[in-house]
Amino acid sequence: MTEDRRVRVLLADGQALFREAVRIVLMSQDEFDVVAEADDAAHALSEAERSQPDVALVDSDLPGGDGIRVTSQVAERVPSCRVIVLSGQDDEQVMLAALEAGAVGYLSKQAPLAELMEATRAVSRGDVLVPPRMLGTVLKRLIHRRREHDEALRKLGTLTRREREILGLLANGAGSDEIARRLVISPETSRTHIQNLLGKLQVHSRLEAVAFVTANDVLGELVGVEG
Amino acid sequence: MRTGFPQRKAEVWLRQSDAENAIYDPGTDEVHLLNMTAVAIWTLCDGSTAPEEMILAVMDLSGLPRDVVQEDVLRILGDFEHAGIVTWRE
């Protein structure tokens, strides 16, 4: 297999022995090329950005940080890289967090190395890898998230255009006075709009309103929002 | 697409092992073997999840096109209904 067709892999794990075992197994196959290794969270991210791997195998318990957070950062900064999170034990919460962070695969480190190799091969082809017996849990979470998103959109639909503008400005860090200046309204009117939108969103503070926007990923639905 | 929400029959139970997944219906004394996808769909048959939601979730996870996912999900639900292990709530 030519070099440019090999699957380029980053290994991110705090245990040198584990990395070495995985490297040996992957490099024994012509189709893989271990292009980078990292032993902690910061190193993992910098190596991902430097080496631009096709697949990253990331330990959920990376030293110096959090493998799930690294997964999220890699997904954002190296979008072409497909991340498999490896965990010391089967843990539904870790798996769900990994998938929500952008991982396309989750595998227990108890699994045989041959299974890890097959998982790497599968995700490089575009497959998503979820332990079969966790599939129902993952689907339930996806359904729950979609329902929450739909409910958030329904609530946004009850806001006036002006209220949506103001929510967007709040989400971007603007206070009442700045909102008033930008929309050429009085500070009192600005505060009134804010109170109205808080009521419609069923939240109790501006912070909760911003959290609502962030948690439901609806910033793009708001009027006049600058990214 | 059929309207309503598929609901597992309460008396039916699922046994999972590394080797196989089996559903036993004591009412008919029948055993139905399921693959992992069918097991996942089975767990969603809680009487409040619509087939459309199941389809969208599988699409979200797998990245497969809608026509493929819809055919699979509806076929599985149809098999469950034919086997008498789910009912439909309106």
Side-chain angles (χ1 to χ4, degrees):
Chain A
M1 178 173 291
T2 59
E3 278 193 17
D4 62 358
R5 294 185 64 190
R6 288 183 185 167
V7 176
R8 297 158 50 77
V9 181
L10 160 66
L11 301 178
D13 192 290
Q15 297 177 348
L17 190 58
F18 180 79
R19 290 199 315 274
E20 182 174 353
V22 174
R23 176 174 12 97
I24 289 171
V25 166
L26 291 180
M27 297 294 281
S28 71
Q29 307 292 309
D30 282 345
E31 65 191 294
F32 299 115
D33 191 8
V34 177
V35 297
E37 293 187 36
D39 57 3
D40 65 28
H43 201 196
L45 183 58
S46 63
E47 283 298 297
E49 291 179 300
R50 180 192 66 78
S51 67
Q52 300 284 307
D54 300 308
V55 178
L57 303 178
V58 178
D59 183 19
S60 62
D61 287 324
L62 269 180
D66 169 3
I68 304 302
R69 182 171 163 75
V70 167
T71 297
S72 175
Q73 291 170 327
V74 169
E76 181 182 351
R77 300 186 198 181
V78 192
S80 60
C81 175
R82 297 175 68 77
V83 178
I84 297 176
V85 169
L86 305 178
S87 181
Q89 54 192 10
D90 278 341
D91 186 319
E92 276 190 6
Q93 295 308 313
V94 172
M95 178 197 64
L96 290 171
L99 294 176
E100 289 185 350
V104 296
Y106 172 89
L107 195 63
S108 166
K109 292 172 80 173
Q110 311 298 325
L113 284 172
E115 193 171 326
L116 176 59
M117 190 163 59
E118 181 53 37
T120 306
R121 187 178 289 128
V123 301
S124 73
R125 287 193 305 253
D127 292 350
V128 174
L129 191 76
V130 172
R133 57 189 170 71
M134 294 186 178
L135 186 56
T137 301
V138 173
L139 291 176
K140 283 184 182 177
R141 174 64 73 96
L142 289 172
I143 289 169
H144 181 70
R145 276 177 54 195
R146 186 176 279 272
R147 287 175 178 173
E148 286 189 326
H149 187 75
D150 288 347
E151 174 62 13
L153 290 179
R154 186 198 64 76
K155 286 181 178 176
L156 278 187
T158 66
L159 302 185
T160 64
R161 180 183 170 87
R162 180 66 90 188
E163 287 165 351
R164 288 158 75 101
E165 278 185 301
I166 290 173
L167 181 58
L169 291 169
L170 282 175
N172 278 323
S176 299
D177 291 345
E178 182 180 346
I179 290 172
R181 275 196 304 275
R182 292 185 60 173
L183 299 183
V184 196
I185 56 178
S186 71
E188 184 179 301
T189 300
S190 169
R191 285 190 287 274
T192 299
H193 281 309
I194 290 172
Q195 287 305 311
N196 288 343
L197 72 86
L198 294 184
K200 289 180 181 180
L201 296 182
Q202 298 174 314
V203 297
H204 302 101
S205 69
R206 300 173 191 203
L207 189 59
E208 282 188 36
V210 173
F212 170 91
V213 171
T214 304
N216 292 293
D217 194 22
V218 293
L219 189 61
E221 306 288 332
L222 301 175
V223 177
V225 171
E226 297 170 1
Chain B
M1 192 180 309
R2 179 167 181 160
T3 59
F5 305 93
Q7 168 84 62
R8 296 185 293 274
K9 281 173 62 177
E11 61 271 29
V12 172
W13 49 272
L14 170 70
R15 175 177 171 172
Q16 288 186 275
S17 71
D18 288 342
E20 65 181 18
N21 304 291
I23 284 182
Y24 173 64
D25 184 353
T28 60
D29 201 29
E30 288 181 343
V31 174
H32 308 276
L33 297 181
L34 305 183
N35 61 29
M36 291 311 304
T37 303
V39 170
I41 298 299
W42 172 257
T43 66
L44 299 179
C45 292
D46 55 7
S48 62
T49 304
E52 177 67 14
E53 292 183 295
M54 299 178 189
I55 291 166
L56 291 173
V58 175
M59 286 173 64
D60 281 347
L61 182 61
S62 66
L64 291 172
R66 184 188 173 93
D67 57 344
V68 172
V69 173
Q70 179 168 312
E71 181 180 338
D72 282 350
V73 170
L74 295 184
R75 176 180 46 77
I76 290 169
L77 291 174
D79 288 347
F80 286 166
E81 185 177 14
H82 181 74
I85 56 178
V86 300
T87 56
W88 284 79
R89 290 183 56 206
E90 294 300 327

